[in-house]
Amino acid sequence: MTGYSRNLRSRIVMVLLLGLLLLSLAPVASADDDAPTVAYLRFGQSPSVALTDKAILDMLEVYGYISADERAVLDGNSDLHGENINILYRDAGFDLATATLMVEDAMDEGADVLLTISTEVGLIAGAATQAMEDPPAMIFAILTAPYYTGLAAAPCLKPANLTGTQMDIDFAQFDEVRNAQSPGLGTLGIIMNADDPAQALTLQVMNAYAAASGFKVATASVVNAADYALATESLLDRGADALLLPPRTGSSAGLAAVVDTAYGIPVYSVMLTDIFSGIQIGSGFQGWYSEGLIAAQMLIGHLRGEIDIATTAINASPGFSVAVNLDAAEATGVTITDELLALASFVIEGGAGMGEEFEIPGVNTFLEEMSLEERMAADAEFLAGLQCTPEMIAEQQAALDAEA
């Protein structure tokens, strides 16, 4: 055999081995080619978002869409080509440019449903799908201000491919809590996230309360975690007596710098889980796990053909509660008033959390125990309450016309 022949045979063998290796690394095709493909798209991971993740996977598992082994794949943030469902698991790492590419990739992959987690990804996906002639279904969760930002006009006045569940924060209750701790407030400093268009609504609402109560509002913007300390210093220089962190779906990184820099003045957040990051007072939305349950109810109802996305109203979850971190308050020289403590449903003191109404990972963030038949009936009843009727549509249109 010539040297050329030996080299040729060696090359052929190498190509065959490489081909076998690539085949072994390729994802296993779904056992059912008709299995739906859901793109799970989140802006970034956080302890709060982890509760939403858990709720969605809990529901998919109990309904039989994923097995325990398949769930382990998803818990590792990997794509799933499953027996009954395909899931494209995507995370933008709190980067808007990456979030845009993530949404485009999901649609290029032919996703049947976009399940978006966060205001940022919801708005990006909403804008992208509305530019399409035949858009995929879209279900959003952990999103604030869908009407203010133009994602929809009203619960039943929305794009036909879209529905979801809104984090509804009661700012009237927040102002009562603020007054219980800071009745003589002079200036409220608000740390705004420059990448979140929904936060402008918080500023608008708080300006109205400021005008009614006689305090002033000052703002400073942040883009990343490194900006929080500088933003806090800027607000203190302008006389801020207390600070507010508006609703956001970004990272909790940087929050410790806020309370450290603002030593001696209270820091409020409308995201209750921020008290685990050292914020002294949480006053606002809690219900990250329940939001995931609602999104999953919508997703499963759609996959089973039991609801029409076009006539399923956008849900609103109030979920208001008050939580106080006394350990953080003591460490930062802030005295929590008795009036505020009387309003708190959850308190951290001596390293331990006390209270039953607050969502605590691993404590009360589980599906309620019931048979599958009972769960299906309860979910069907909930979804039935979200079905838009012609009367609802006419009433919501009339209200919009009156405002205009």
Side-chain angles (χ1 to χ4, degrees), residues 175 178-179 204-217:
D175 198 54
R178 188 276 313 161
N179 191 56
Q204 178 180 314
V205 172
M206 292 313 301
N207 274 326
Y209 283 113
S213 300
F215 61 87
K216 299 177 182 179
V217 170

Short mmCIF file of all heavy atoms in Angstrom, two decimals, residues 175 178-179 204-217:
data_model
loop_
_atom_site.label_atom_id
_atom_site.label_comp_id
_atom_site.label_asym_id
_atom_site.label_seq_id
_atom_site.Cartn_x
_atom_site.Cartn_y
_atom_site.Cartn_z
N ASP A 175 -47.60 54.07 50.56
CA ASP A 175 -47.47 55.38 51.18
C ASP A 175 -47.92 55.36 52.63
O ASP A 175 -47.38 56.11 53.46
CB ASP A 175 -48.27 56.43 50.39
CG ASP A 175 -47.83 57.84 50.72
OD1 ASP A 175 -46.62 58.14 50.60
OD2 ASP A 175 -48.69 58.65 51.12
N ARG A 178 -44.89 54.01 54.37
CA ARG A 178 -43.87 55.06 54.41
C ARG A 178 -44.18 56.08 55.49
O ARG A 178 -43.32 56.51 56.27
CB ARG A 178 -43.81 55.72 53.02
CG ARG A 178 -42.68 56.72 52.80
CD ARG A 178 -42.97 58.11 53.30
NE ARG A 178 -44.27 58.59 52.88
CZ ARG A 178 -44.90 59.60 53.46
NH1 ARG A 178 -44.35 60.22 54.51
NH2 ARG A 178 -46.08 60.00 53.04
N ASN A 179 -45.46 56.44 55.63
CA ASN A 179 -45.85 57.43 56.63
C ASN A 179 -45.72 56.87 58.05
O ASN A 179 -45.44 57.61 58.99
CB ASN A 179 -47.29 57.87 56.38
CG ASN A 179 -47.67 59.07 57.21
OD1 ASN A 179 -47.03 60.12 57.15
ND2 ASN A 179 -48.74 58.93 58.01
N GLN A 204 -44.05 58.79 38.54
CA GLN A 204 -45.26 59.58 38.33
C GLN A 204 -46.20 59.46 39.53
O GLN A 204 -46.73 60.46 40.04
CB GLN A 204 -45.96 59.11 37.06
CG GLN A 204 -47.28 59.81 36.75
CD GLN A 204 -47.89 59.27 35.47
OE1 GLN A 204 -47.22 59.10 34.46
NE2 GLN A 204 -49.18 59.01 35.51
N VAL A 205 -46.40 58.24 40.01
CA VAL A 205 -47.30 58.01 41.14
C VAL A 205 -46.74 58.63 42.42
O VAL A 205 -47.46 59.28 43.19
CB VAL A 205 -47.54 56.50 41.33
CG1 VAL A 205 -48.31 56.23 42.61
CG2 VAL A 205 -48.27 55.92 40.14
N MET A 206 -45.43 58.43 42.67
CA MET A 206 -44.85 58.97 43.90
C MET A 206 -44.81 60.49 43.89
O MET A 206 -44.92 61.12 44.95
CB MET A 206 -43.44 58.40 44.11
CG MET A 206 -43.41 56.90 44.41
SD MET A 206 -44.61 56.38 45.68
CE MET A 206 -44.11 57.36 47.08
N ASN A 207 -44.70 61.10 42.74
CA ASN A 207 -44.78 62.57 42.66
C ASN A 207 -46.17 63.05 43.09
O ASN A 207 -46.31 64.10 43.74
CB ASN A 207 -44.48 63.05 41.25
CG ASN A 207 -42.99 63.23 41.00
OD1 ASN A 207 -42.24 63.60 41.91
ND2 ASN A 207 -42.54 62.95 39.79
N ALA A 208 -47.19 62.26 42.73
CA ALA A 208 -48.56 62.63 43.14
C ALA A 208 -48.72 62.53 44.65
O ALA A 208 -49.30 63.42 45.29
CB ALA A 208 -49.57 61.72 42.43
N TYR A 209 -48.18 61.47 45.27
CA TYR A 209 -48.26 61.34 46.71
C TYR A 209 -47.42 62.42 47.40
O TYR A 209 -47.79 62.92 48.47
CB TYR A 209 -47.80 59.95 47.16
CG TYR A 209 -48.84 58.89 46.92
CD1 TYR A 209 -48.63 57.88 45.99
CD2 TYR A 209 -50.04 58.90 47.63
CE1 TYR A 209 -49.60 56.91 45.76
CE2 TYR A 209 -51.00 57.93 47.41
CZ TYR A 209 -50.78 56.94 46.47
OH TYR A 209 -51.73 55.99 46.25
N ALA A 210 -46.30 62.77 46.81
CA ALA A 210 -45.45 63.81 47.38
C ALA A 210 -46.18 65.15 47.41
O ALA A 210 -46.13 65.89 48.41
CB ALA A 210 -44.15 63.93 46.58
N ALA A 211 -46.89 65.44 46.33
CA ALA A 211 -47.63 66.70 46.27
C ALA A 211 -48.74 66.74 47.32
O ALA A 211 -49.02 67.78 47.93
CB ALA A 211 -48.22 66.88 44.87
N ALA A 212 -49.37 65.57 47.56
CA ALA A 212 -50.46 65.50 48.53
C ALA A 212 -49.96 65.54 49.97
O ALA A 212 -50.62 66.08 50.86
CB ALA A 212 -51.29 64.24 48.30
N SER A 213 -48.76 64.97 50.20
CA SER A 213 -48.25 64.83 51.57
C SER A 213 -47.23 65.90 51.95
O SER A 213 -46.85 66.00 53.12
CB SER A 213 -47.62 63.44 51.76
OG SER A 213 -48.57 62.42 51.52
N GLY A 214 -46.74 66.65 50.98
CA GLY A 214 -45.85 67.76 51.29
C GLY A 214 -44.37 67.43 51.31
O GLY A 214 -43.56 68.24 51.77
N PHE A 215 -43.97 66.23 50.81
CA PHE A 215 -42.53 65.97 50.73
C PHE A 215 -42.06 66.13 49.28
O PHE A 215 -42.87 66.26 48.36
CB PHE A 215 -42.18 64.58 51.29
CG PHE A 215 -42.81 63.40 50.56
CD1 PHE A 215 -42.20 62.83 49.45
CD2 PHE A 215 -44.01 62.85 51.02
CE1 PHE A 215 -42.77 61.74 48.81
CE2 PHE A 215 -44.58 61.76 50.39
CZ PHE A 215 -43.97 61.21 49.28
N LYS A 216 -40.76 66.14 49.11
CA LYS A 216 -40.17 66.29 47.78
C LYS A 216 -39.65 64.94 47.28
O LYS A 216 -39.41 64.02 48.06
CB LYS A 216 -39.02 67.30 47.81
CG LYS A 216 -39.43 68.70 48.22
CD LYS A 216 -38.21 69.62 48.29
CE LYS A 216 -38.60 71.02 48.74
NZ LYS A 216 -37.40 71.91 48.83
N VAL A 217 -39.44 64.85 45.97
CA VAL A 217 -38.90 63.64 45.35
C VAL A 217 -37.64 64.01 44.58
O VAL A 217 -37.62 64.99 43.83
CB VAL A 217 -39.92 62.98 44.40
CG1 VAL A 217 -39.25 61.88 43.59
CG2 VAL A 217 -41.10 62.43 45.19
#
